Amino acid sequence: MDQSLQKTEQTPISEALDQLLKNQYKHYQEQIKKLTSRQDEHLKFMNQWVHPEVSFTSACIWI
């Protein structure tokens, strides 16, 4: 991806293309962060509420 961020010629169209590529790459990075965060939150939820067998097993030992 670094190659797409390298500068091209200094014509208006190439400068516009450079800016477009830079914006698209920034958007791509933001989307990755959002999706990673959502995945982390989902995993946290799953571990706390959907798979509570660890705390259930601990409670059963005391019975």
Side-chain angles (χ1 to χ4, degrees), residues 1-2 10 28 31 38 43 47-48 50 56 58 60:
M1 193 57 163
D2 291 334
Q10 296 298 317
Y28 170 75
Q31 291 300 310
R38 282 183 60 197
L43 183 59
N47 287 333
Q48 288 180 346
V50 179
F56 177 75
S58 299
C60 290

Side-chain angles (χ1 to χ4, degrees), residues 13-56:
I13 189 79
S14 61
E15 288 179 3
L17 178 60
D18 288 343
Q19 190 61 44
L20 174 65
L21 291 173
K22 196 180 294 184
N23 289 341
Q24 284 181 334
Y25 186 71
K26 182 179 176 183
H27 178 71
Y28 170 75
Q29 292 295 328
E30 290 170 355
Q31 291 300 310
I32 288 175
K33 284 182 183 180
K34 281 183 187 178
L35 292 173
T36 301
S37 179
R38 282 183 60 197
Q39 190 175 31
D40 290 344
E41 288 296 318
H42 179 71
L43 183 59
K44 183 178 176 182
F45 172 79
M46 293 294 285
N47 287 333
Q48 288 180 346
W49 301 106
V50 179
H51 299 295
E53 66 270 356
V54 174
S55 58
F56 177 75

